[in-house]
Amino acid sequence: MNISELMRLDIAKRADASFKKVKEVQAILNASITFIEDDGVRRDGKLAGIPVALKDNISTKGIRTTAASNILDDYIPIYDATIVKKLADAGAVFVSKSSMDELAMGGTNRTANIGPCLNPYDPKRITGGSSGGSAALVACGAVPLAIGSDTGDSVRKPASYCGVVGVKPSYGRISRYGIIPYASSLDHVGYFTTNVADAALALEVLAGRDDLDMTSSSIPVPQYSKLLNADIEGKRILIFDNVLKAIKDDDILSAFEKLIAGLKSKGAIIETVHFRDDLMKCLFPTYFIIANAEATANHSNLDGIRFGHRIDGDSMEEVMINTRTRGFSSFIKKRFVIGSYSLFEENQDRLLRKAQKVRRLICDEVLNKLKTADVLIAPASGSIAPLIDSPSTDELNDEYLVVENHMVIGNFAGLPSMTLPLGQKEGMPFGVNITCNAFDETGMFTIGKAIEEISGLKDLTKEVL
Ligand code: GLN
């Protein structure tokens, strides 16, 4: 059931099925790291009694928060993230700390320390990551709302693979206080729902200035759910040509074409834009250098000294070495090596600063085009969710560099971006992504609503039991 359907039930009963279901699906999906027991408290508010899952990098006071890493295996925060307070004040009831790639560094959810999270549409396939547990719990109907985080596309890619709506709002729209950081200049709180109306309502609750997060914005939060309509007459929509040209899957291409025809018939003005190819090839390397450098700095506090898992040694240095050596998987350590390398003084100019300059060029390229338009649109991925044991992608071909990395533009420029279901193939869903101008979440939901009407793919869930 979606949020508005649950709201029709008695407040005391709205979360009942959810507490059961997150546990029942665990054997099939492995989507939760910690189950939250019902505290029995039900508050009034926009989400009164509504069950919600929280990605396990969101601090919950008194409730284990591991970020799917051994190094935080026994970490119990002493404070709540701001969004946890906001959700609780709005009446939400927490049911699960959901699985994720270790420390949110990944795009598969295969790197969680509890093992991979599996796709409700086909448990032989991945959910995508890093917010895979949250996506899976919404997709299987266990919760109508789950919170994630998005540094490169970690909400929007799993949304595509799991057939749900995934939102990453503007940088600064939602407070990040209490979220275990990954790369601070790119990190956003995001979330999953099964439809656009629920997505609009959720942002009303989550968004707003927070003095505990100096990057949060003071721009007032509109009543997104009241403003919601599907009137796109005269809206200017830019088709992201570089992505379309690099996609090989005919079913995805034809579903996208049909959607564009539908948007046109609703009165939208469609234009195709081509961005500089050299910049588009740089999306992934630019992201990888910046994200890993920031992650290396952010995670230097995970050393077993102040909090988290500690492995003893004869000196403080040995404690740190032992803790970090055994606490992180080799996947994370590889990223720290890359991050440290670009942070070395002698490498900073040719790596980190250069990546920052390229990021600027990419942002300018996109922002210039969006100046006279409302939205940039493209399929969210070039494929359905890959099989769990498929080899990792050849990261140097165009399909990977452009198609599988284009959504990072939303993180580079802090733009609101959302993935919605676009079609199905071999019983698996695939999604479409829209990216709008900064703080135009209202416009993003309007276009999202129109897409939902055209595709007819609303409130998709996949029963796994
Ligand atoms: N897949 C990207 C990475 O590996 C994005 C992760 C994210 O958005 N948290 O870093």
Side-chain angles (χ1 to χ4, degrees):
M1 273 191 271
N2 64 33
I3 295 178
S4 50
E5 285 162 351
L6 282 171
M7 282 302 224
R8 279 183 228 125
L9 306 181
D10 187 276
I11 183 171
K13 301 220 167 72
R14 290 172 196 163
D16 285 358
S18 193
F19 278 107
K20 263 207 262 147
K21 198 157 183 184
V22 288
K23 288 186 183 153
E24 283 168 1
V25 300
Q26 183 69 359
I28 302 163
L29 303 179
N30 199 30
S32 296
I33 295 180
T34 302
F35 300 111
I36 303 181
E37 296 308 322
D38 192 350
D39 62 8
V41 177
R42 297 288 182 271
R43 288 194 193 87
D44 236 355
K46 286 183 180 171
L47 297 176
I50 298 298
V52 173
L54 301 168
K55 187 175 180 177
D56 204 33
N57 59 352
I58 300 170
S59 301
T60 39
K61 185 176 175 180
I63 298 169
R64 188 169 162 251
T65 299
T66 70
S69 182
N70 289 339
I71 205 153
L72 289 170
D73 202 41
D74 44 16
Y75 173 53
I76 297 179
I78 54 168
Y79 68 105
D80 275 328
T82 294
I83 54 164
V84 171
K85 285 201 184 131
K86 280 181 173 256
L87 287 163
D89 286 347
V93 176
F94 303 119
V95 299
S96 158
K97 295 300 292 290
S98 59
S99 182
M100 54 186 285
D101 277 297
E102 181 174 359
L103 295 167
M105 293 190 201
T108 61
N109 219 120
R110 287 195 295 203
T111 69
N113 67 339
I114 61 157
C117 178
L118 308 171
N119 195 306
Y121 282 83
D122 177 0
K124 289 191 297 303
R125 294 180 183 273
I126 62 169
T127 52
S130 61
S131 311
S134 286
L137 289 175
V138 172
C140 76
V143 289
L145 170 64
I147 314 299
S149 63
D150 187 313
T151 303
D153 61 12
S154 271
V155 163
R156 294 161 291 154
K157 190 60 78 66
S160 179
Y161 289 165
C162 295
V164 293
V165 173
V167 176
K168 180 207 80 64
S170 307
Y171 191 78
R173 188 68 298 188
I174 300 178
S175 165
R176 303 178 298 174
Y177 178 74
I179 314 296
I180 295 171
Y182 169 7
S184 309
S185 76
L186 300 161
D187 288 346
H188 295 66
V189 171
Y191 56 90
F192 303 90
T193 60
T194 60
N195 65 66
V196 178
D198 284 0
L201 179 71
L203 191 58
E204 269 172 47
V205 171
L206 292 164
R209 169 70 191 171
D210 174 16
D211 287 341
L212 296 172
D213 174 2
M214 67 177 185
T215 62
S216 73
S217 167
S218 315
I219 296 177
V221 180
Q223 298 280 296
Y224 300 111
S225 63
K226 302 224 166 65
L227 296 168
L228 191 60
N229 65 77
D231 180 8
I232 55 165
E233 179 80 48
K235 290 256 185 206
R236 303 186 80 91
I237 298 181
L238 305 178
I239 297 177
F240 198 152
D241 192 44
N242 312 59
V243 176
L244 270 301
K245 287 240 162 74
I247 290 182
K248 297 202 180 93
D249 188 313
D250 288 334
D251 297 314
I252 293 180
L253 288 173
S254 70
F256 184 78
E257 240 172 71
K258 254 173 69 192
L259 172 66
I260 294 298
L263 292 167
K264 223 183 249 171
S265 66
K266 276 181 175 286
I269 302 158
I270 313 282
E271 194 189 322
T272 297
V273 284
H274 196 86
F275 297 107
R276 269 176 60 182
D277 286 308
D278 54 350
L279 290 179
M280 293 304 111
K281 281 190 187 176
C282 290
L283 291 171
F284 175 72
T286 304
Y287 167 77
F288 213 59
I289 291 172
I290 295 174
N292 287 327
E294 292 184 17
T296 302
N298 276 330
H299 293 317
S300 59
N301 66 348
L302 297 177
D303 54 12
I305 303 297
R306 278 155 299 193
F307 62 96
H309 195 60
R310 170 194 293 224
I311 296 170
D312 271 328
D314 290 336
S315 63
M316 190 147 96
E317 201 186 346
E318 221 179 273
V319 171
M320 287 181 180
I321 290 171
N322 290 345
T323 302
R324 286 176 70 86
T325 303
R326 278 190 261 158
F328 297 120
S329 71
S330 56
F331 186 76
I332 298 296
K333 282 186 259 191
K334 180 180 125 186
R335 293 213 180 192
F336 287 162
V337 170
I338 295 167
S340 305
Y341 187 76
S342 54
L343 287 168
F344 285 158
E345 217 176 319
E346 61 270 34
N347 294 337
Q348 279 194 13
D349 271 342
R350 65 186 186 90
L351 287 170
L352 184 55
R353 290 212 186 87
K354 191 162 181 187
Q356 285 164 337
K357 284 181 197 158
V358 177
R359 176 180 180 174
R360 182 71 261 159
L361 294 176
I362 293 167
C363 290
D364 288 347
E365 178 86 350
V366 175
L367 293 174
N368 271 333
K369 298 264 191 341
L370 268 176
K371 236 183 234 160
T372 50
D374 297 287
V375 59
L376 179 64
I377 190 167
S381 169
S383 72
I384 56 171
L387 289 164
I388 208 117
D389 46 16
S390 61
S392 26
T393 327
D394 169 13
E395 297 185 353
L396 294 178
N397 64 39
D398 265 20
E399 201 178 4
Y400 182 80
L401 288 176
V402 183
V403 181
E404 300 308 331
N405 283 283
H406 73 86
M407 292 190 289
V408 78
I409 289 172
N411 305 75
F412 281 169
L415 304 176
S417 183
M418 166 159 96
T419 294
L420 305 103
L422 169 63
Q424 298 206 8
K425 175 190 168 92
E426 296 160 24
M428 295 298 299
F430 55 84
V432 61
N433 179 256
I434 54 176
T435 298
C436 298
N437 284 296
F439 292 93
D440 185 21
E441 277 81 4
T442 304
M444 178 174 77
F445 291 136
T446 302
I447 294 155
K449 183 87 187 140
I451 292 174
E452 196 175 71
E453 283 185 9
I454 295 162
S455 72
L457 302 175
K458 181 173 177 266
D459 291 321
L460 295 184
T461 53
K462 173 74 181 167
E463 203 51 69
V464 296
L465 295 170

